[in-house]
Amino acid sequence: MSGRRHLDWLGLTPEPERELPAAVAALRASLGTAPHPPPGRAELAAAERRRVEHLVLRGSRHSWLRYLAEATALVTAVALRLDEQGGKDRHADRNAGRNGDRNADTRADVDADASTAAALLAAEVILDHHRMLIGLPGAGYGRTAGDRAALESALRLLRTRSRTAGPAPTAPTGDGR
């Protein structure tokens, strides 16, 4: 590595590289942006892990922020879809009920809850990361201002959806709720 390469962005927090691959893979599957033919969720998550590993080991701050912007776009797409559908995400199973499948609606609800949980996790992780950029030199914090605003808006929509759909799919707070 060159002494000129700025690596300060790598020391922010390990959560994005740990948490985002599975969440981003779930979002891609939910939105139909996975490669065709779509691999299974495990294969999608493994591909995302390899991509993140490559970015961390060989990428730059710019390429990392570009990946996070792409993940932000996935989060906001899920949140907007939920908002447009009044909190009911039926895109997760496009064929729900078409073939007389009595369990199709239940599967669609489970898929919707999974995409909401993935979007919530990704939004929280990326937003925390972007807020920490204020402590680093460079324009990263300013560059992510639009993404921070989009993530905050998406989080409001997703949290509303998770409250109206039942228990929130996030980790317990430890305060007994």
Side-chain angles (χ1 to χ4, degrees):
M1 274 189 247
S2 166
R4 302 174 107 176
R5 184 170 178 225
H6 298 284
L7 301 176
D8 52 4
W9 62 277
L10 289 173
L12 279 178
T13 179
E15 280 78 13
E17 65 187 86
R18 237 186 322 191
E19 304 287 343
L20 287 180
V24 169
L27 294 173
R28 287 187 197 287
S30 165
L31 293 168
T33 61
H36 295 285
R41 291 197 188 239
E43 290 85 4
L44 278 175
E48 284 298 324
R49 267 191 293 285
R50 285 190 300 275
R51 184 173 179 200
V52 167
E53 180 179 312
H54 178 78
L55 285 168
V56 168
L57 295 176
R58 293 176 181 76
S60 64
R61 180 190 306 191
H62 184 74
S63 62
W64 177 245
L65 291 178
R66 197 169 40 240
Y67 174 77
L68 295 178
E70 184 180 322
T72 297
L74 294 170
V75 167
T76 57
V78 167
L80 289 174
R81 188 177 69 208
L82 288 171
D83 188 44
E84 288 170 358
Q85 296 173 350
K88 273 300 197 189
D89 183 353
R90 292 288 180 213
H91 181 32
D93 185 352
R94 291 181 192 159
N95 297 318
R98 286 189 186 165
N99 299 322
D101 186 349
R102 292 180 294 185
N103 296 320
D105 285 343
T106 302
R107 278 196 313 272
D109 287 342
V110 168
D111 287 346
D113 290 344
S115 66
T116 300
L120 273 166
L121 175 65
E124 289 169 351
V125 168
I126 297 167
L127 188 57
D128 286 347
H129 175 278
H130 284 355
R131 287 175 174 156
M132 286 187 237
L133 289 172
I134 197 166
L136 295 181
Y141 185 77
R143 182 175 167 214
T144 60
D147 285 351
R148 285 193 312 275
L151 288 165
E152 288 166 352
S153 177
L155 275 169
R156 280 191 297 278
L157 290 170
L158 292 164
R159 287 177 179 146
T160 300
R161 160 55 167 101
S162 67
R163 279 194 299 273
T164 59
T170 57
T173 60
D175 63 359
R177 285 190 246 172

